[in-house]
């Protein structure tokens, strides 16, 4: 959500504007996230947020967008998970056509909720396979909430042809990533940066070409790494692991995707060849259709070969 949109919606509701980017730690982040989501209390507002997400991504040069959506948060408004998912998918498609951006949707389960909820969501996600839903994820606080209890839910999603994209290796270490691989059959792991704590795991990720969706500014804001220049992304790349660069939640962490790429160049020293490789992996590791992946590769190659 744009900060300006959050401010507008809060004022319209005669509520205090949540103090975004003024937090320390994951629990405080979640509280602000929930406060912001609470302003999305109608279909029109949900459509607005989805549309603006697409527009902002397009302005940053994104050609394929896969946002995550936790539908139970909106059950009281829409009456069912299916109803809110249908609204999001419809607005993604309309806004995507207008901005020339391809879109898919990841249905996210909450690892701090009972695994039975994830089972229900996996069945709902499976019913939308081939109709816009492309993946199934697992989000929220890893600490004390391992991925293993959600194995059945991910099995349902994978059997329906959905990508498995759980969070792991952010607030917990290598064991969380291993759980994502062994129990969830992860195609990609959201974050995954603490794989650097295990050379054996890094070799496995490289050998199996498991992509890590890395969010450097988020990792700094939440204390996963102390400073941007200390981020382990270069070490992960050096180990041969496929990684993507992501903005996580620009409302609370600041940078959008283009600025995140720029920070990785300026602060981590990633050169154009490396950035192009990362951008290519971001397409190849996604659920984008083959034609879009091919055209995206061509555009990346043209950018790389152009004069500085």
């Amino acid at each position: 959500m744009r900060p300006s949109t959050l401010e507008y919606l809060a004022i319209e509701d005669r509520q205090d504007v949540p103090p975004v980017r003024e937090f320390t730690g994951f629990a405080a982040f979640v509280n602000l996230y929930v406060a912001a989501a609470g302003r999305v209390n109608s279909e029109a507002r949900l459509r607005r947020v989805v549309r603006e997400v697409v527009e902002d991504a397009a302005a940053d040069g994104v050609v394929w967008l896969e946002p995550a959506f936790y539908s139970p948060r909106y059950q009281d408004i829409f009456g069912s998970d299916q109803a809110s998912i249908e609204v999001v998918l419809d607005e993604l498609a309309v806004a995507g056509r207008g901005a020339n951006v391809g879109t898919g949707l990841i249905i996210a389960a909450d690892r701090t909720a009972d695994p039975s909820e994830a089972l229900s969501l996996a069945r709902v996600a499976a019913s939308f396979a081939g109709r816009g839903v492309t993946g199934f994820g697992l989000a929220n606080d890893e600490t004390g909430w391992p991925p293993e209890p959600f194995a059945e839910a991910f099995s349902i999603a994978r059997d329906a042809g959905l990508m498995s994209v759980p969070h792991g290796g952010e607030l917990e270490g290598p064991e969380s990533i291993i759980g994502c691989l062994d129990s969830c059959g992860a195609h990609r792991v959201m974050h995954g940066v603490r794989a650097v704590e295990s050379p054996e795991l890094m070799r496995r990720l490289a050998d199996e070409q498991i992509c890590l969706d890395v969010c450097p500014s988020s990792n700094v804001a939440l204390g996963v790494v102390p400073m941007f220049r200390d981020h382990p992304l270069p070490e992960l790349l050096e180990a041969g692991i496929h990684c993507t660069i992501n903005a996580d939640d620009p409302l609370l962490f600041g940078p959008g995707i283009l600025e995140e790429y720029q920070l990785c160049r300026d602060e981590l020293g990633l050169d154009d060849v490396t950035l192009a490789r990362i951008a290519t992996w971001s397409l190849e590791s996604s659920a984008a259709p083959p034609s879009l992946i091919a055209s995206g590769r061509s555009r990346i190659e043209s950018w790389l070969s152009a004069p500085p």
Side-chain angles (χ1 to χ4, degrees):
M1 191 191 301
R2 294 171 181 167
S4 58
T5 297
L6 176 59
E7 181 179 10
Y8 177 87
L9 298 179
I11 291 172
E12 190 173 62
D13 287 344
R14 298 183 179 180
Q15 299 287 326
D16 292 336
V17 180
V20 295
R21 302 175 197 170
E22 295 180 16
F23 61 90
T24 55
F26 192 83
F29 156 73
V30 169
N31 288 338
L32 288 175
Y33 179 95
V34 171
R39 304 279 59 79
V40 186
N41 50 24
S42 70
E43 179 176 334
R45 290 184 173 194
L46 181 58
R47 286 184 179 274
R48 173 178 176 166
V49 169
V50 172
R51 182 175 65 255
E52 291 176 352
V53 165
V54 175
E55 291 171 350
D56 291 349
D60 277 355
V62 170
V63 298
W64 175 259
L65 181 66
E66 283 179 358
F69 182 61
Y70 178 61
S71 56
R73 192 177 306 283
Y74 304 95
Q75 283 181 344
D76 290 344
I77 302 166
F78 291 92
S80 69
D81 293 307
Q82 291 89 337
S84 62
I85 291 169
E86 286 172 355
V87 168
V88 173
L89 287 174
D90 181 65
E91 194 61 37
L92 279 174
V94 172
R97 286 193 296 270
N100 198 28
V101 173
T103 61
L105 184 65
I106 295 167
I107 301 301
D110 185 344
R111 69 199 314 146
T112 68
D114 190 279
S116 62
E117 181 185 270
L119 279 173
S120 176
L121 282 175
R123 295 187 182 102
V124 171
S127 73
F128 283 97
R131 296 193 290 140
V133 170
T134 55
F136 189 70
L138 184 66
N140 212 338
D141 192 348
E142 286 178 274
T143 308
W145 307 97
E148 283 79 3
F150 302 92
E152 185 179 355
F154 276 89
S155 178
I156 291 170
R158 294 196 314 275
D159 286 347
L162 301 179
M163 297 189 77
S164 169
V165 288
H167 283 63
E170 178 191 20
L171 304 181
E172 290 288 332
E175 68 283 353
S176 179
I177 303 171
I178 293 169
C180 289
L181 300 177
D182 294 343
S183 297
C184 303
H187 299 96
R188 305 200 314 262
V189 176
M190 305 293 187
H191 295 292
V193 291
R194 293 186 59 183
V196 294
E197 299 171 16
S198 169
E200 182 180 0
L201 176 58
M202 287 204 293
R203 284 192 295 271
R204 178 181 177 183
L205 292 170
D207 290 344
E208 297 181 13
Q209 293 190 359
I210 303 297
C211 188
L212 303 183
D213 289 340
V214 176
C215 308
S217 292
S218 167
N219 295 156
V220 174
L222 294 176
V224 178
V225 296
M227 301 182 70
F228 204 106
R229 64 172 177 263
D230 300 317
H231 198 279
L233 177 57
E235 187 176 350
L236 295 168
L237 295 170
E238 182 65 26
I241 298 171
H242 290 194
C243 297
T244 65
I245 294 171
N246 305 271
D248 204 355
D249 189 339
L251 173 69
L252 300 176
F253 298 127
I257 185 64
L258 181 59
E259 186 178 352
E260 204 78 40
Y261 266 80
Q262 187 71 50
L263 285 167
C264 287
R265 170 188 277 178
D266 295 343
E267 299 292 332
L268 299 180
L270 302 189
D271 60 21
D272 288 353
V273 172
T274 302
L275 292 173
R277 185 181 305 126
I278 289 170
T280 301
W281 286 334
S282 76
L283 288 168
E284 295 174 342
S285 301
S286 76
S291 59
L292 190 149
I293 293 174
S295 64
R297 278 203 207 101
S298 177
R299 292 173 66 178
I300 293 166
E301 290 166 2
S302 295
W303 172 81
L304 188 59
S305 62

